[in-house]
Structure formats: structure tokens, C-alpha cells
Amino acid sequence: MIEQYVVGLREVDETQVAVVGGKGAHLGGLSRIDGIRVPDGFCVTTDAFRRVMAQAPSIGDRLDELARLDPDDRETIGTLSADIRRTVEGIAVPDDLAAAITRALGRLGEQGAYAVRSSATAEDLPTASFAGQQDTYLNVVGPAAVLRHISRCWASLFTERAVTYRRRAGIDHRAVAMAVVVQRMVFPEAAGVLFTADPVTGNRTVATVDAGFGLGEALVSGAVNPDVFTVRDGVVVGKAIAAKQRAVQAVAAGGTREVAIDAGRQEQPALTDEQVVRLVRLGRRIEAHFGRPQDIEWCLADDGFQIVQSRPITTLFPVPEAGDREHHVYVSVGHQQMMTDPMKPLGLSMWQLTAMAPMHEAGGRLFVDVTRRLGSPASRAALLEVMGRGDPLVRDALETVLERDDFVPSLTDAGPGGPPAGRAPAGGAPTPIATDPALVTGLIERSQVSIAALERDIRTKTGPALFDFLLAAFEEHKRVLRDPLNLQAIMAGMEATWWLNDTLLEWLGEKNAADTLTLSAPGNVTSQMGLALLDVADVIRPHPEVVAFLRGVEDEGFLDELGKLAGGAAARDAIESYLDRYGMRCVGEIDITRPRWRERPATLVPLILDHVRNFEPGAAERRFEQGRQKALAKEQDVLSRLRALPDGDRKADEAARMIARVRTFIGYREYPKYGIISRYFVYKRALLAEAGRLVRADVLADEEDIFFLTFQELQGVVRSNRVDDRLVRRRKDAFRSYHALTPPRVLTSDGEAVTGAYRRDDVPAGALIGLPVSAGTVEGRARVVLDLGRADLAAGDILVTTFTDPSWSPLFVGIAGMVTEVGGLMTHGAVIAREYGLPAVVGVEGATRLIRDGQRIRVHGTDGYVEILS
């Protein structure tokens, strides 16, 4: 292949990122759009960069050293990257390469002024913009200066900020090359940035324009506040004109300088409304060309706009594909299921195939379309009621959308759609079901029989027959969930809890009375899971050699080694027994691709060791009995106080019936999820066995590549024995990028992430507001934990995290309180917090950012707020 060192800007397009980098490719694409003016220029290609880099082979060793560094080790990264930059800038540009660049300059005007701009191959990508990470030089005059600044652009691939950005984005330093764009300099009257979608709300129907006088560098650097214009449907609907005291202008001899703006001109708009609308129209044309919202840098010269850069807006949350032009309102499934992390494609498709309601994917998350239910007055009330009970922020966001009269169409019939976000339907009347523990026992037995049949029958299924079997198994999975008695049992405990909280507040003036009445409720498989790990610790505690061995565990083969130690066989058997019952669970368990405890038992070792250290023998039984006694005492107290009221006997009888209902059914609230995850582990093992056969047949490179295919795509691979490796790679890249996105609770088809608010004025100034889910007040040290495997908790600590799912319950037995960013009254963490008597506040926006690890905080679990103490 003949190396090409210089190529004209209009000879390339956005498909040639590998040759001219992201910026060069996008500028080439822009130059091909009718009506879009791009300053003329050329690209010094990545071939030129590689040739120059080959002259300093020692750089490779330093790149390897950079790759091994922690991204937070800024000092070492800064030292090493500066060393690499000095080396690159010191390499002489080869004569033939310099001649090619000089010839290109001659065609444009050798002594003209130019912008010399970095264009890396990992830049302006749909998943990572790299905005501002490499260098740009303006008003460079003369061939010698252009060559010198091209070398500086090559070196800027290794700025400390660029190196750190790549590490955090999971991009290999060696996989990135640098091209350089050289363009005729534009000397604008005004310049700025156009976002073709609102960068704050995500609304795709709104464009925003930032504008200032002179070159755009003043805006980009933050030296001046820009004028800000908001445009919707071709009309300026909002504007804020800033006092623009300074501007950046070109200097005749080269370079730029900052100048003061005349006082009489400072508050004049940099653009007229007509110019703003014309600019947005150009932006829409660019957006249509690239197929996604754009962040566009523009210049205004002689009343004409020139575009000097366009890149994807990578911070926007994607919009689910609806296949029509109608308005849609989506509610996050992850906020209901306590798993807002992105899911891999197999996990997404498996949840969609087994859920009780249709779901839509965006950004690696699932959403339920609630538009029709919002449009019907009858179903709207029920939807808002159940959403408000679970998460007031979701309800407030939905009400915000409803206030826009023209967005949700008014319907007379809500139509099909099932319960919101996979929940059981809610109604005003109590669920018609007898308060009989035998009902719960029967439901659990039926579920266990169904799962046993699944485990038995799947063993003989392979190849295409496995997928036919699984599709039938998914129907059985949904049949168990849709069993009317199952839904009635779930709702019975929830409704009784709501009734007790609402009614006892009215009758006795007591908030959240049900929190104590649900302590140590029988039959809660999730709280039992937490207590059972205390029993495992009891087996291990008497054996110092086993404890010492577990402190050094680093891999998953430790169970085989345990049996060789004194007391090790009993310890191994206790852990194995625990895994037999709960080994299908893990953090983020609704994603079938997440590693289960049975697959990675070492995950449990730190929790076991914490229990060995922090608890005395028999703690599980004592804790459960203490909770049961508190609940009984609370019941007697409530009933006694009610009987002393007017019409007290009737009120006490009603409350007694509801307390019995709570005690009977609230524990079952956790069982259906346990059944789902038990089935998921059966499905997963069968699919991984099939993946192993594909690897042995050289169809797949790795078993876990199936995680980046949907169930339907995997079915096709098994039938054809062929896989699209490029699709798998694209999915892996996309999955990495989704981690940087924050999923909204409510999302519209316009792309707007609607943020709800707590409408409360009953909390102290400065307190963090949330939803009270477990009564009581506790003060202690905050431990901000983002990874369950790295939790370092002592007795009395308060857990602060983004969300908890059932896998976190073993941690609950050793803490004094809990604060989460996501959650609702009946989500798993809230239910277990009440069972363990932990004061808890959930739905605290930004809790892990606003509360620092180690700070003292006070959690008001009854009133729903958190105070940060001095």
C-alpha cells in the first residue's frame, strides 16, 4: 500500500477517520453538504504521524508504561506524557513530507494565515467526543510555522488530559493515531457554538446557539459569557444577551490576542434573530447528514456562516425507537428494578422476552411506554398513584409532561399495555385475597416445581432445539408471573402497608407506622439470605486457619483448597450450601450476563469476613427474634391506642386485619424476583454451554461474546454457525460508552430527560431530600460504596450508594442506616431495610456526589431527609 501523507479536505468524508482522524473526516463530510461552507484546507494523514513516530521507537515502551498506570495517578501520568511530547516535538519532519505539506500550502497561498488543528482517530466519535483534549493553533503564518505547529499537534496526542481521557474511555494509546487539519484562517465578526439539541434537557426539538464577538476561542476558554439563543420550530423562543467585555482577535504577524470591546457595543447581540434562525437551519441540515444531534462550531464573516467543526453530542441519552412520528413518554425500568447500570444486549433481550409488559431499549437501558395510559383519564389516575407510591420523582416528572397540554394525546381508552415498568397493577380497593399463609406456601411450591421441571428438561437440549425450548420456557416464566393469585399476593402486602401508613397517620398522627410492624416478617427470601450469611460466618469463626486463608483469597478456586485446612471442610460445606440456595444472585441480577455468586464465589468472602469480625455467634437468630418481638409489641401498642379512640373497637379490628395481612404477604413480595433470577441462572448456564460449543467450532472467539448479541441474533448464529465479528466489536464499544450516560426516570420521544422534584418545604435548610422508606433516625459515618465487592464497613456505618438490589442484603445486617439515589417505597432495598429496622431514605438525587465518604450524617428515615453534619 502506497502511503499518502497529504490529502485535500474535499477529497475525504466521515468514513475515513482512520486516515484523517475524527475532525478531518467530519470536516470532509461537511464540505460535501449542499449549502454548507467549510474553510478550504488539507489533512496531514495518520501515515505521516506513524512515519514520524517510527523514528523514536522508545516511545512504545513509554506508552506501555502509561497503559499500566492508574488513571488517578496524575503526577506520574503528567511526567511521562510530558516526556513523550518533548520527544515527538524534537523529531525533525522528513524532507519529502515537509515538501508535500509546503506544496499543499502553495496551492492555497503559501504566506496566508492558517488554523492548524489536531485530528485524532479517537476523536469526534459517536461514543466519545474528546472535545478539547488535543491542541489547535490559530492564525499560523508561513510554511515554517505551519510545520512547527503540525509537530505540536502530533505531540498533543499525549497531553495529560488526553491520556487520562483515553484511559477512562477504555481506549488503547497504541490504537490511536493523529492526523492534522490545516485550513485557511477565518477572521469572523462573531463566532460560537450551535447545539442542535438542548445539551441540558436533551430535547431534540430545541436548538441552542452560544455567540460572541471575534474568534470562538474566547467562548471555548470561558473568558467571556456568550449570548445564548434558544430556537424551536424555526422561531427564537428565548435569548439572554451577555455583557461581552472581551474578544479574541487575530494578530497580523500571527497568533491571537485578547482585546477589550467598546462599552457601547458590549451588550449588543452578537447575532440578529434572523441570523440565529438561519444558522439553526444550517445545523439541521448537518444533523440530518450525520444522523444524530451535533455540536457545531461556526464563524460569521461577511454575513455568511462558515462551519469549522461538527461533532456528535455524546452526552445526550438516546431515544427509544418508536417507528412513528407520534409523541411518546417513557418510564425507566431500571429505576423500578434497582439497576440503572447499562445492560448488555443479551441481558436486554432476555428481560424483554420474559417481562410482563412491552419494553423499549435506549442507551443500554429499558423503558416502558406509558403514553396511552397517561392519555386516558381513568388509567392516568391509577398510573400516577402507583408511580407516586413507588417514586415521587417519577410521578412529578409525569405530571410535568402532562402540564404541556399538546404533548400527551387525550384518549378515551387506555388500550393494552400491561402494568407500568413490570409492576403489578394498583387499584384503590384492597386486593380480594384471604389472609392465609397457606396461599403463600402454595405459590412458592408451585414456583419451585416449575423451576425444577425447567432444570430437568433443559439438560438434553442443544443447538436450535435449545432455543425452541427456551422460547416455550419463557411463556411458562410469564405464566407463573401473571398468575392472578401471584399478583394478588404481591399487592396484598403492599396495599396493606400503604393502608396502615395512611390510616394510622390519620387516626394516631404517627408516620410510617408499618415500618415497625413489618420487622422480621416471615417468608422473606431476601432478608433470609442476609441472615444466612451470618450463619456461614458462625461456622468459620472458630477456625483461625480458615479465617487467615480467606483473608488472602484472590481467585475463584479457593473452595477446593479450603478442605485441606483444619475446619476447612465444614467452612466449605457451609459456603456451598449457601451458594446452592442463593448462588444465582449477584449485583445487577436482572442482566443475565452479570457474573453470579456461584460463578464468582470470592465475591462473598469480604462480606463473610466482615461478619466474622463484627458479630457474635447466633446473631442471625437473635436479630430475627428481636425484630419479631418489636413488631408484636408495636402491634399491641397500636391496637391499644386505637381502642381508646372514638369508635375505637372498629378501628382496632380494621387495623388488626391489615397487620395480619402485612405479616402474611409482605415477605412474599421478594419471592417472585427470586424465582425469576433462579430461572435466569438456568437459562444462562444452557446458553454458555452452547457458547462453548461455538468457541470449539471456531465460530466465536470467546464464550462471553454471546453477551453482545440479542437472544434472536444468538439463535441465528447457532443455526448458521456464522457470527458478525464487527457487530460484536461495535456492541462492545457502545456498551462501554453507555456507562457515561445517566438514565433519566422519565424520557420523552423528543429526547427530553424530565427531572422530577420533591415539592416539600418541611425539611431543614441544606438537607438532602428523599423518600422515607424505613422509619427512625440514625447518626453515623457515611460510607460511600459504588462497588459491593469493595465495601469496607464497620458497625454503625451508614451505607450511601446509587442503588441496591437483593444482592446487597448481606451487607444490611452490619450497617446502621441507608441512603440511596434510586429507590421507592416497595423496592427491594426499602423492604429489607424495614425488615432489619434500618432508618433509610431513598431517591436522594446526587447522594454519592454530595455526601463524602467518611462524613458524619444524620438519616431521618421517618421524614425523608439527610443532614450532613460538621
Side-chain angles (χ1 to χ4, degrees), residues 520-532 582 624 670 809 813 831-832 835-836:
S520 298
N524 187 319
V525 69
T526 306
S527 61
Q528 289 169 353
M529 177 172 69
L531 295 174
Y582 304 112
F624 185 82
E670 293 293 297
S809 66
V813 299
V831 171
I832 304 309
E835 288 236 4
Y836 288 170

Side-chain angles (χ1 to χ4, degrees), residues 270-427:
L271 297 177
T272 67
D273 285 9
E274 184 276 331
Q275 288 171 327
V276 170
V277 171
R278 180 153 43 105
L279 175 60
V280 170
R281 202 175 296 131
L282 294 175
R284 292 295 180 210
R285 196 177 297 173
I286 294 169
E287 179 184 69
H289 176 82
F290 289 116
R292 58 185 298 151
Q294 297 289 300
D295 166 358
I296 299 166
E297 295 180 21
W298 55 269
C299 295
L300 176 68
D302 301 322
D303 198 38
F305 288 104
Q306 296 199 51
I307 306 302
V308 295
Q309 187 158 335
S310 184
R311 61 169 72 92
I313 307 175
T314 59
T315 56
L316 298 179
F317 199 87
V319 181
E321 293 184 11
D324 59 34
R325 294 182 176 274
E326 302 297 322
H327 287 163
H328 294 270
V329 182
Y330 302 98
V331 171
S332 165
V333 173
H335 285 80
Q336 310 295 317
Q337 291 293 336
M338 295 300 94
M339 217 295 276
T340 54
D341 290 346
M343 296 168 66
K344 296 188 179 80
L346 184 62
L348 290 165
S349 63
M350 291 288 282
W351 193 260
Q352 288 172 302
L353 286 166
T354 55
M356 294 197 299
M359 295 184 182
H360 306 264
E361 183 272 334
R365 280 81 168 187
L366 291 169
F367 295 84
V368 170
D369 187 344
V370 297
T371 316
R372 291 186 63 82
R373 276 165 278 171
L374 282 177
S376 166
S379 62
R380 180 190 308 145
L383 176 69
L384 292 175
E385 169 69 14
V386 74
M387 287 294 168
R389 292 281 191 181
D391 186 340
L393 294 177
V394 173
R395 175 171 183 151
D396 190 76
L398 292 175
E399 289 176 333
T400 299
V401 175
L402 285 168
E403 288 170 3
R404 301 165 189 167
D405 296 334
D406 60 340
F407 196 85
V408 178
S410 181
L411 303 172
T412 55
D413 176 25
R423 286 173 170 269

Side-chain angles (χ1 to χ4, degrees), residues 107 130 141 234 259 296 535 643 658 727 735:
R107 288 190 289 272
F130 280 81
V141 179
V259 298
I296 299 166
D535 292 333
R643 289 192 182 98
M658 285 299 177
L727 174 65
F735 178 72

Side-chain angles (χ1 to χ4, degrees), residues 746-783:
V746 172
L747 180 67
T748 73
S749 50
D750 285 346
E752 183 178 4
V754 188
T755 304
Y758 294 105
R759 312 292 178 177
R760 296 174 55 187
D761 56 8
D762 60 341
V763 299
L768 307 181
I769 304 174
L771 179 66
V773 296
S774 185
T777 300
V778 66
E779 182 179 316
R781 179 179 65 162
R783 297 317 306 258

Side-chain angles (χ1 to χ4, degrees), residues 208-226:
T208 64
V209 176
D210 291 5
F213 295 123
L215 291 166
E217 291 304 291
L219 270 63
V220 173
S221 66
V224 300
N225 291 323

Side-chain angles (χ1 to χ4, degrees), residues 346 350-351 353-355 450-451 454-455 458 466-467 469-481 584 592-593 599 675-691 706-707 711 714:
L346 184 62
M350 291 288 282
W351 193 260
L353 286 166
T354 55
S450 178
I451 294 168
L454 171 67
E455 290 177 321
I458 204 170
L466 170 64
F467 289 83
F469 174 84
L470 284 172
L471 289 171
F474 297 162
E475 293 307 308
E476 165 66 6
H477 179 127
K478 288 186 282 190
R479 185 198 65 77
V480 171
L481 291 179
M584 78 294 290
I592 197 172
T593 71
E599 296 168 317
I676 290 170
I677 302 307
S678 296
R679 291 176 187 277
Y680 264 35
F681 196 33
V682 179
Y683 304 153
K684 182 181 185 180
R685 285 183 291 188
L687 291 173
L688 281 175
E690 198 62 35
I706 67 167
F707 295 164
F711 178 86
L714 180 55

Side-chain angles (χ1 to χ4, degrees), residues 53-101:
M53 291 289 285
Q55 296 183 51
S58 65
I59 290 176
D61 295 335
R62 282 172 280 181
L63 290 179
D64 290 340
E65 189 177 345
L66 269 180
R68 291 191 293 269
L69 292 176
D70 187 315
D72 294 324
D73 186 357
R74 296 185 60 180
E75 183 177 350
T76 309
I77 288 175
T79 302
L80 198 53
S81 60
D83 182 43
I84 296 172
R85 287 199 310 280
R86 282 192 297 271
T87 301
V88 174
E89 288 188 38
I91 299 171
V93 179
D95 291 344
D96 58 332
L97 174 54
I101 294 169

